[in-house]
């Protein structure tokens, strides 16, 4: 009886604590709040009476801490660590764990590789137990987080037979963080890495960052900006990097760095960085050996070369493979890899920037070393709200291609707009390249299964900063989350991921889950509509990329302007990428090429991406192109209002501080959606010379008003070097 009372008291305390504590988003999706479904709670309590981690590695210590924290929160009572398997023990270990020796684990684990895991109910010593097992430590950690997610989302745990293996090998965040702690295209404060105080001061946030990543299977982090600074490779900075690498190691996370191609000159005192120069090769070999001496599991390098002013092999009349291979040879003896970016464009403005990566890389297929991956952005231009998939996917069969998604919302409303990106990620992953017939999806290119590559990877440009809630917008956390989940398993649906995330982050209440999920799922299309409908692209503000700027012209490069991309004129609008235009369509394989080439068949969501069409063109809706364009802009802005209304119904059902924060951001988003709509419609109207269709409210400002707006301090601007 006394125990029962104590129990109830604990629950009341926990409940009131949760109710009173204003959440600040710091805990991400790892809040571990008390299971609210009473039946499930009883069930979980009966099934998990104690736990045992039969392992003493640093990873096992992390697991112990996580279990204590999670089970106390979720079950409302502390669940003891036990010495041997008794009734209701959660048993955790690797294949050789003594406590699991009766279970034929070798066999059960034969297909899951070094990072996969199994979870199943079974009897040990005739007692009902639940087992989480893996071949290696990291798999054990991933299995535990998977299991905790099941509790967090109120899944049944009575008959488990789970086997999970990641679909891509390198699941990695790319931090565009500078050594001065500014973050290029970062909207959540400054860099997490406090270089000045490292290596002596270890910010506790580093641990929480690592926990969050491990919970979604992210196993690598590139600490530094692709617009790289060679200083990171100097001994003083390598000490700091080592401290982070040591800390991340037990979480299964390897550290990678960006390599500035001209580092041999800048910090090595050489006269050249020519990749075929013996001294340069030697310099990199020595530098790499120096790194591996202190970081034995250093992952390797990410390189942006000969793009946007970055130095590279072309400075010495060498090609990308020459550059990548030189670094690859240096890291090879240590099992390191090189991720060489395909986001390149020439100093000479080409006919069409979207063609450049393919033109430069496709001929190099087959010439890269085995430990090189070419990292390709999801679309051929630059992380726009909607792009067709990059034509390099499926076009370089002999080279493992890695996906690069942008999690930070550089072109999607920064950290102010609620935009759930999983639908964008999925749209690209599920696209069919037809490289080897139907079903040759981008996902199968990048997971290596299409061409049987052993290396595979997915990179996400991080949206993480030192804001208390990590990502700026509370819902932006879902983009970090869904990136990790999809890198682990690209077959998951955007809906399923949103479902998990909402349950863990806000509430398991069915109505709340469905409401927030609806907003999230709709948000990307809504944003495309009020920013860049019908295949428009690159019409954002100059340099900072904040807000609309379809009028941007007369800049140092034509392909840095907006007019270059929308090509609006009196007769029509859109970029002609067919044979009568830039012929970028030739880079797609059949039948994708034919499908997009024909304006009648082309998905209207990409129409102005591939075609220049008349303002009077009849659209599928029956409207003219001009009317349809207006319609979509207005629909987008109206839907932003709908998101607000939906959110407002959640008052009192989610944490109040979070509720109010999102509410205020949605208000800004709605105003900015109207701003985008008005500015774009008024601007394009100067060409179409047609009225805004009846029934739509007229913009309350003039085009001149929108054009003269300036934002010198918009966040995330790329600094000048
Ligand atoms: C662009 C960003 C720029 C990055 C570049 C890249 O505006 O800051 O350096 O991508 O990916 O979208 O290298």
């Amino acid at each position: 009886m006394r125990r029962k009372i104590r129990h109830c008291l604990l629950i009341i305390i926990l409940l009131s604590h949760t109710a009173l504590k204003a959440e600040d988003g710091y805990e991400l999706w790892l809040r571990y709040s008390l299971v609210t479904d009473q039946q499930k709670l009883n069930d979980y309590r009966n099934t998990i009476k104690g736990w045992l981690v039969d392992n003493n590695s640093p990873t096992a210590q992390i697991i112990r801490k996580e279990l204590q924290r999670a089970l106390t929160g979720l079950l409302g009572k502390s669940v003891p660590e036990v010495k041997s398997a008794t009734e209701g023990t959660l048993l955790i270990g690797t294949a050789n764990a003594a406590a699991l020796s009766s279970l034929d684990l070798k066999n059960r684990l034969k297909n899951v590789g070094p990072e996969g895991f199994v979870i199943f109910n079974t009897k040990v010593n005739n007692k009902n137990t639940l087992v989480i097992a893996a071949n290696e430590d990291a798999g054990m950690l991933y299995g535990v987080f998977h299991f905790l997610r099941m509790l967090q989302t109120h899944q049944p745990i009575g008959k488990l037979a789970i086997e999970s293996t990641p679909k891509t090998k390198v699941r990695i965040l790319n931090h565009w963080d500078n050594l001065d702690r500014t973050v290029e295209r970062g909207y959540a404060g400054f860099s997490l890495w406090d270089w000045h105080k490292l290596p002596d001061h270890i910010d506790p946030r580093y641990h929480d960052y690592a926990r969050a990543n491990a919970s979604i299977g992210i196993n690598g982090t590139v600490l530094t900006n692709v617009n790289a600074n060679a200083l990171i490779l100097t001994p003083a900075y390598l000490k700091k990097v080592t401290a982070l690498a040591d800390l991340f190691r037990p979480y299964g996370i390897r550290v990678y760095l960006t390599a500035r191609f001209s580092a041999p000159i800048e910090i090595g005192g050489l006269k050249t960085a020519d990749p075929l120069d013996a001294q340069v090769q030697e310099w990199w070999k020595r530098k790499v050996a120096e790194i591996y001496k202190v970081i034995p599991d250093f992952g390797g390098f990410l390189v942006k070369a000969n793009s946007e002013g970055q130095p590279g092999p072309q400075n010495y009349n060498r090609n990308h493979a020459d550059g990548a291979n030189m670094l690859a040879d240096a890291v090879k003896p240590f099992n390191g890899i090189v991720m060489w970016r395909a986001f390149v464009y020439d100093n000479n403005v080409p006919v069409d920037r979207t063609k450049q990566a393919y033109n430069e890389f496709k001929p190099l297929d087959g010439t890269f070393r085995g430990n090189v991956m070419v990292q390709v952005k999801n679309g051929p231009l630059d992380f726009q709200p909607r792009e067709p998939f990059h034509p390099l996917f499926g076009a370089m069969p002999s080279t493992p291609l890695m996906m690069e998604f942008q999690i930070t919302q550089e072109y999607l409303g920064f950290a102010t707009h609620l935009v759930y990106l999983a639908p964008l990620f999925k749209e690209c992953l599920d696209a069919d390249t037809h490289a080897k017939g139907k079903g040759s999806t981008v996902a199968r290119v990048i997971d290596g299964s299409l061409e049987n590559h052993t290396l595979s990877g997915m990179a996400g440009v991080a949206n993480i900063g030192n804001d208390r809630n990590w990502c700026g917008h509370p819902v932006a956390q879902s983009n970090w989350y869904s990136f990790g989940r999809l890198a682990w398993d690209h077959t998951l649906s955007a809906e399923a991921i949103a479902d998990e995330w909402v349950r863990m982050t806000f509430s398991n209440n069915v109505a709340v889950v469905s409401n927030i999920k609806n907003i999230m799922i709709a948000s990307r299309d809504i944003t495309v509509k009020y920013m860049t409908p019908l295949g428009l692209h690159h019409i954002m503000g100059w340099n900072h990329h904040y807000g609309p700027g379809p009028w941007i012209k007369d800049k140092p490069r034509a392909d840095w302007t907006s007019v270059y991309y929308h090509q609006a004129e009196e007769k029509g609008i859109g970029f002609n990428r067919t044979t009568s235009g830039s012929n970028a369509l030739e880079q797609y394989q059949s039948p994708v090429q034919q499908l997009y080439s024909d304006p009648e068949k082309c998905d209207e969501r990409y129409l102005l991406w591939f075609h220049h069409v008349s303002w009077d063109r009849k659209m599928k809706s029956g409207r003219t192109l001009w009317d349809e364009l207006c319609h979509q802009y207005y629909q987008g802005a109206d839907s932003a209002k709908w998101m607000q209304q939906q959110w407002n119904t959640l008052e009192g059902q989610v944490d109040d501080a979070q509720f109010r924060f999102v509410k205020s951001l949605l208000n800004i988003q709605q105003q900015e959606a109207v701003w985008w709509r008005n500015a774009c419609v008024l601007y394009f109207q100067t060409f179409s010379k047609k009225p805004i269709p009846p029934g739509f409210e007229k913009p309350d400002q003039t085009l001149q008003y929108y054009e003269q707006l300036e934002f010198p301090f918009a966040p995330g601007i790329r600094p000048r070097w």
Side-chain angles (χ1 to χ4, degrees):
M1 188 64 187
R2 288 231 339 238
R3 255 187 71 193
K4 269 221 163 118
I5 295 175
R6 259 211 338 253
H7 231 130
C8 290
L9 273 176
L10 185 64
I11 292 180
I12 291 166
I13 291 167
L14 276 167
L15 275 174
S16 58
H17 184 68
T18 337
L20 289 179
K21 195 182 92 183
E23 293 190 32
D24 56 18
Y26 182 84
E27 293 179 333
L28 295 157
W29 48 88
L30 301 174
R31 287 159 66 245
Y32 301 133
S33 48
L34 182 69
V35 173
T36 45
D37 177 330
Q38 196 56 47
Q39 209 182 327
K40 282 274 156 50
L41 181 62
N42 291 341
D43 210 36
Y44 293 166
R45 285 179 169 170
N46 288 334
T47 317
I48 315 162
K49 296 207 163 87
W51 51 270
L52 191 166
V53 186
D54 190 358
N55 191 301
N56 269 323
S57 66
T59 304
Q61 301 303 349
I62 288 167
I63 292 175
R64 287 194 176 90
K65 271 202 205 147
E66 198 69 28
L67 281 176
Q68 265 151 7
R69 172 184 198 149
L71 294 177
T72 311
L74 288 161
L75 306 194
K77 61 174 199 171
S78 78
V79 181
E81 181 171 9
V82 294
K83 293 254 172 331
S84 61
T86 53
E87 184 69 20
T89 301
L90 177 61
L91 271 171
I92 299 159
T94 49
N96 49 13
L100 306 176
S101 57
S102 62
L103 295 175
D104 189 21
L105 278 184
K106 287 252 154 51
N107 192 35
R108 285 187 185 258
L109 290 166
K110 66 176 186 292
N111 295 322
V112 304
E115 294 183 305
F117 56 83
V118 293
I119 307 178
F120 56 95
N121 309 75
T122 190
K123 289 208 185 232
V124 172
N125 306 334
N126 239 347
K127 311 279 186 223
N128 289 309
T129 60
L130 231 163
V131 174
I132 304 177
N135 287 313
E136 291 182 19
D137 284 1
M140 207 167 54
L141 184 62
Y142 296 143
V144 167
F145 275 117
H146 184 101
F147 179 69
L148 292 176
R149 181 185 309 124
M150 298 188 70
L151 303 184
Q152 287 173 281
T153 55
H154 300 188
Q155 304 300 307
I157 56 165
K159 288 187 195 127
L160 300 182
I162 296 171
E163 183 180 310
S164 184
T165 315
K167 291 217 175 342
T168 51
K169 287 227 168 75
V170 179
R171 305 175 299 279
I172 191 168
L173 289 179
N174 288 183
H175 287 270
W176 286 359
D177 294 20
N178 299 311
L179 301 185
D180 65 0
R181 292 194 81 177
T182 56
V183 179
E184 182 160 338
R185 313 310 180 184
Y187 311 103
F190 288 94
S191 171
L192 274 187
W193 323 131
D194 192 348
W195 294 114
H196 184 66
K197 299 197 192 81
L198 278 165
D200 299 310
H201 172 65
I202 298 294
D203 188 327
R205 290 194 75 150
Y206 303 149
H207 284 281
D208 289 325
Y209 164 85
R211 283 175 59 230
N213 279 329
S215 78
I216 47 177
I218 288 175
N219 65 359
T221 178
V222 184
L223 300 174
T224 46
N225 193 353
V226 286
N227 295 314
N229 189 323
L231 275 183
I232 195 68
L233 302 174
T234 57
Y237 274 94
L238 287 177
K239 273 202 192 121
K240 300 168 192 278
V241 175
T242 305
L244 290 175
D246 288 344
L247 190 151
F248 294 154
R249 189 167 298 117
Y251 293 90
I253 299 169
R254 282 179 173 212
V255 156
Y256 300 71
L257 293 173
T258 46
R260 182 152 163 97
F261 204 76
S262 48
I265 303 173
E266 287 157 15
I267 58 167
L270 300 188
K271 293 229 156 41
T272 175
D274 181 348
L276 299 194
D277 181 289
Q279 270 187 311
V280 172
Q281 293 172 352
E282 194 42 42
W283 186 86
W284 279 109
K285 282 196 174 133
R286 263 189 279 125
K287 181 51 72 186
V288 163
E290 180 189 335
I291 298 175
Y292 277 94
K293 200 157 174 212
V294 285
I295 311 172
D297 59 349
F298 178 66
F301 294 121
L302 169 66
V303 188
K304 171 175 178 176
N306 294 119
S307 172
E308 299 186 326
Q310 291 301 305
Q314 292 174 348
N315 299 27
Y316 308 95
N317 288 325
R318 315 296 182 197
N319 64 33
H320 288 291
D322 295 328
N325 291 344
M326 172 196 57
L327 292 174
D329 289 342
V331 295
K332 175 93 205 304
F334 308 96
N335 292 323
I337 60 164
V338 171
M339 297 164 287
W340 193 269
R341 296 179 86 224
F343 177 72
V344 295
Y345 55 98
D346 229 317
N347 290 336
N348 310 312
V349 179
V351 269
D352 181 353
R353 199 177 111 188
T354 66
K355 293 176 72 173
Q356 281 231 273
Y358 183 102
N359 287 347
E360 288 191 31
F361 279 85
K362 162 101 180 136
L364 299 178
D365 189 29
T367 65
F368 290 95
R369 296 279 193 270
N371 58 335
V372 175
M373 282 196 277
V374 171
Q375 183 170 311
V376 183
K377 287 189 181 182
N378 58 296
L381 184 56
D382 195 359
F383 298 139
Q384 294 301 292
R386 172 164 276 129
E387 295 194 29
F389 70 86
H390 201 302
L392 269 178
F393 292 119
M396 293 182 65
S398 307
T399 313
L401 298 187
M402 213 176 149
M403 173 63 76
E404 179 175 317
F405 283 128
Q406 192 179 43
I407 310 173
T408 189
Q409 292 166 236
E410 175 179 1
Y411 302 97
L412 285 135
F414 293 6
T416 321
H417 295 205
L418 187 164
V419 190
Y420 175 51
L421 295 178
L424 184 160
F425 301 157
K426 283 291 283 184
E427 194 169 287
C428 178
L429 290 165
D430 292 345
D432 199 342
T433 69
H434 286 269
K436 289 177 98 181
K438 206 166 159 8
S440 309
T441 58
V442 171
R444 294 195 56 217
V445 173
I446 62 119
D447 73 9
S449 63
L450 195 68
E451 303 290 349
N452 280 325
H453 289 303
T454 40
L455 259 186
S456 63
M458 209 192 278
V461 179
N463 62 349
I464 301 161
N466 72 347
D467 270 13
R468 180 72 191 157
N469 75 356
W470 305 88
C471 303
H473 197 303
V475 182
Q477 296 177 354
S478 68
N479 295 329
W480 175 9
Y481 181 82
S482 51
F483 166 76
R485 296 289 286 134
L486 286 171
W488 183 277
D489 181 0
H490 55 67
T491 67
L492 292 171
S493 70
E495 288 77 9
I497 298 172
D499 195 278
E500 290 173 354
W501 180 81
V502 174
R503 285 172 186 276
M504 294 189 285
T505 309
F506 286 113
S507 162
N508 268 284
N509 175 295
V510 182
V512 173
V513 174
S514 113
N515 190 345
I516 302 183
K517 235 166 60 178
N518 287 343
I519 299 173
M520 287 169 70
I521 294 295
S523 61
R524 189 281 187 119
D525 272 332
I526 291 171
T527 309
V528 171
K529 282 192 176 144
Y530 65 69
M531 286 186 176
T532 54
L534 297 172
L536 284 172
H537 48 285
H538 205 293
I539 56 170
M540 65 286 163
W542 165 249
N543 196 21
H544 48 59
H545 300 165
Y546 173 57
W551 47 79
I552 302 293
K553 59 177 181 188
D554 301 333
K555 294 294 178 192
R557 291 179 63 115
D559 56 359
W560 284 353
T561 69
S562 302
V563 295
Y564 173 91
Y565 293 100
H566 62 64
Q567 304 271 323
E569 41 83 40
E570 242 167 70
K571 291 206 193 75
I573 181 171
F575 199 121
N576 181 357
R577 295 194 160 105
T578 67
T579 42
S580 60
S582 78
N583 203 15
L585 270 158
E586 72 180 343
Q587 298 180 339
Y588 288 95
Q589 326 219 8
S590 175
V592 182
Q593 187 185 112
Q594 287 76 0
L595 208 65
Y596 288 148
S597 297
D598 181 348
E600 295 307 317
K601 291 198 194 125
C602 180
D603 183 338
E604 284 185 353
R605 297 178 308 171
Y606 301 124
L607 188 66
L608 305 180
W609 184 283
F610 289 121
H611 298 277
H612 187 80
V613 295
S614 142
W615 293 112
D616 293 323
R617 185 196 159 73
K618 266 266 172 310
M619 301 293 285
K620 296 217 167 77
S621 61
R623 299 184 194 100
T624 63
L625 172 72
W626 166 252
D627 282 357
E628 182 65 23
L629 194 68
C630 292
H631 195 84
Q632 299 222 356
Y633 270 117
Y634 276 82
Q635 205 185 34
D638 281 354
S639 305
K641 197 176 267 164
W642 167 84
M643 297 211 287
Q644 278 186 294
Q645 289 159 351
Q646 292 297 106
W647 184 264
N648 287 345
T649 65
L650 293 164
E651 184 155 18
Q653 300 186 61
V654 294
D655 174 77
D656 201 46
Q658 294 294 85
F659 169 79
R660 279 184 282 111
F661 189 18
V662 175
K663 181 177 165 155
S664 68
L665 293 174
L666 282 170
N667 190 34
I668 304 176
Q669 180 169 6
Q670 195 271 328
Q671 293 172 46
E672 293 191 354
V674 171
W675 170 31
W676 267 93
R677 177 197 76 190
N678 288 354
C680 292
V681 167
L682 286 173
Y683 171 77
F684 290 127
Q685 192 178 35
T686 64
F687 300 97
S688 80
K689 311 251 180 349
K690 293 177 191 298
I692 295 173
F696 290 145
E697 63 171 310
K698 299 281 169 290
D700 55 354
Q701 299 286 355
T702 61
L703 177 58
Q704 289 65 38
Y705 166 82
Y706 293 115
E707 285 187 2
Q708 53 79 41
L709 293 175
E710 279 187 37
F711 306 96
F713 303 114
I717 301 189
R718 183 177 160 170
R720 294 201 171 94
W721 291 282

